[in-house]
Amino acid sequence: MTLGRGHGGWCERKRNYGYGRRLGYAALSALHDHYGSTDHYQTKHSHHARFANFVRWIKDQYGIRDSRLITKAHMLSYGEHLLESVQDGAYSVSYAQNLISSVNTVMRCLRHDRKLYVSPSKLVGRRTHTRQNTPHGERNEDVEQAAHALEQAQNPRAAAVLLLARAFGMRVREASLANLDRLFHEAKNRGKCRILEGTKGGRRCNDRCIPVEQDQWKALEYARTHSPKGSKNLLKPDETYRGFVCRVINPGRPIIQLHGLITYREMRAAFAVAIYEENAKQLAPVKRAPLDLTAHLRALDLVSIMLGHNRRHVSRAYVG
């Protein structure tokens, strides 16, 4: 049942604009109304999870449980609260900005207007897109140990995602949905693989070709070994990506952290640093080493192609 659609009249007279009595539930209902109940699962989940932080804060600070009572002043006060957390080192600027952006989105979905919008960058500062810390997972031995621990925990498909992410620079979604048969045949016949499935925004770039050497072969063969019967990727034939994340990817996160790798995404950063250093013949900027600018820019361009975003400035988020 869709609640609050059409916003106005009786909806404005009902708690949380007719989307439900509990603020957190109302937020999820409004997001379903805006994005659709079956699409954009990850987007809705992210906004809802981040909005929960605001729900706790506004209940504790103002006792508000009805979104009709939220004003621009409350939004600005929340921004000040987050700025203090950034200055104390509890939150990064990017995370604080994401928290504010999600509140903006949810309030727009609830109210059907942008009257309460606040600027994340003005409230908590501008984020930096340049990586400051050397990525975890640079040592293949560490990655293989974490993969072995995942396999010992009866989660070999999470291990396959980890290995593919490190060897090919794949995102989690790309590693999960990659057509392993196609990758194998391309590697065998051409010595390199194209990353096509599960790409961000559906981008299909034929120039995103990853050379296949020993590490790539090992990751690909491991993933093919643990691909479910009747499937060309790591999902079971009757499994959704959402279910795969819940049952396979998320349970693997604590094990990865225990081995000091932090997240699957760190594997992509480690891959980027390796590509950069191999082609620039110098240490990545994140390691605070002197740079040859010409080699630096050339390597950044290559990294941007290998990662599939084709934007030099985005590469700095991985290599510094």
Side-chain angles (χ1 to χ4, degrees):
M1 179 175 66
T2 301
L3 301 172
R5 188 181 293 277
H7 182 63
W10 71 272
C11 290
E12 293 188 12
R13 294 192 296 270
K14 293 180 72 69
R15 188 184 181 104
N16 291 314
Y17 301 102
Y19 281 103
R21 290 192 58 79
R22 291 185 293 110
L23 183 52
Y25 175 83
L28 186 58
S29 297
L31 289 167
H32 283 323
D33 190 14
H34 181 77
Y35 289 106
S37 59
T38 58
D39 297 321
H40 303 282
Y41 166 76
Q42 190 60 48
T43 299
K44 291 183 293 186
H45 171 77
S46 297
H47 284 315
H48 184 239
R50 291 194 288 255
F51 187 73
N53 190 72
F54 176 72
V55 171
R56 289 190 294 270
W57 174 84
I58 203 164
K59 284 180 181 179
D60 291 342
Q61 296 296 315
Y62 297 98
I64 290 178
R65 290 173 168 78
D66 185 346
S67 57
R68 294 175 301 171
L69 303 178
I70 297 173
T71 66
K72 188 72 165 281
H74 293 128
M75 302 283 283
L76 295 173
S77 179
Y78 184 57
E80 292 174 359
H81 162 71
L82 294 179
L83 178 59
E84 290 179 1
S85 297
V86 170
Q87 293 171 339
D88 291 341
Y91 291 163
S92 66
V93 172
S94 59
Y95 181 62
Q97 283 195 12
N98 286 338
L99 289 172
I100 295 173
S101 294
S102 288
V103 176
N104 281 332
T105 297
V106 171
M107 293 308 299
R108 185 180 75 243
C109 293
L110 286 165
R111 294 172 52 89
H112 294 253
D113 63 38
R114 291 171 53 88
K115 291 182 179 179
L116 299 189
Y117 175 84
V118 292
S119 169
S121 61
K122 288 182 179 178
L123 288 176
V124 299
R126 295 189 177 277
R127 70 184 76 191
T128 175
H129 291 288
T130 302
R131 189 178 185 92
Q132 303 298 317
N133 301 310
T134 303
H136 299 256
E138 280 197 278
R139 287 174 14 112
N140 285 327
E141 297 89 339
D142 296 336
V143 180
E144 289 174 359
Q145 287 176 9
H148 179 70
L150 287 166
E151 186 172 351
Q152 292 294 105
Q154 307 300 312
N155 197 349
R157 292 192 289 165
V161 168
L162 186 75
L163 293 172
L164 288 172
R166 178 61 181 88
F168 291 91
M170 293 178 176
R171 301 176 178 91
V172 168
R173 184 180 179 89
E174 292 168 348
S176 305
L177 300 178
N179 186 326
L180 300 173
D181 290 341
R182 177 184 61 76
L183 292 178
F184 175 80
H185 290 300
E186 288 186 3
K188 187 176 180 180
N189 297 325
R190 302 171 57 198
K192 54 187 177 181
C193 299
R194 295 171 300 160
I195 310 302
L196 300 177
E197 294 82 24
T199 54
K200 194 170 185 178
R203 300 188 188 100
R204 297 175 68 88
C205 303
N206 285 323
D207 60 346
R208 187 183 172 190
C209 289
I210 311 300
V212 178
E213 298 177 359
Q214 183 179 359
D215 292 337
Q216 286 74 28
W217 271 119
K218 287 172 64 176
L220 185 53
E221 289 172 350
Y222 183 90
R224 292 185 79 221
T225 298
H226 295 285
S227 176
K229 185 177 181 179
S231 173
K232 293 182 178 180
N233 54 42
L234 290 172
L235 276 64
K236 296 177 182 177
D238 60 347
E239 191 173 31
T240 65
Y241 178 69
R242 173 182 175 181
F244 180 77
V245 169
C246 292
R247 288 188 290 270
V248 176
I249 297 299
N250 289 342
R253 296 186 191 278
I255 296 175
I256 291 173
Q257 291 173 358
L258 283 175
H259 283 76
L261 301 184
I262 304 183
T263 66
Y264 294 95
R265 187 174 183 271
E266 283 290 288
M267 301 305 96
R268 184 165 154 85
F271 169 85
V273 166
I275 292 295
Y276 175 95
E277 294 184 344
E278 179 182 347
N279 287 272
K281 308 303 180 186
Q282 61 187 2
L283 294 177
V286 73
K287 298 179 180 178
R288 313 293 195 276
L291 294 178
D292 177 289
L293 184 58
T294 300
H296 169 67
L297 295 177
R298 183 180 66 247
L300 276 183
D301 288 337
L302 180 61
V303 169
S304 72
I305 293 172
M306 292 282 203
L307 294 184
H309 48 67
N310 292 310
R311 289 174 291 173
R312 182 185 287 173
H313 72 274
V314 178
S315 297
R316 296 190 179 97
Y318 294 92
V319 303

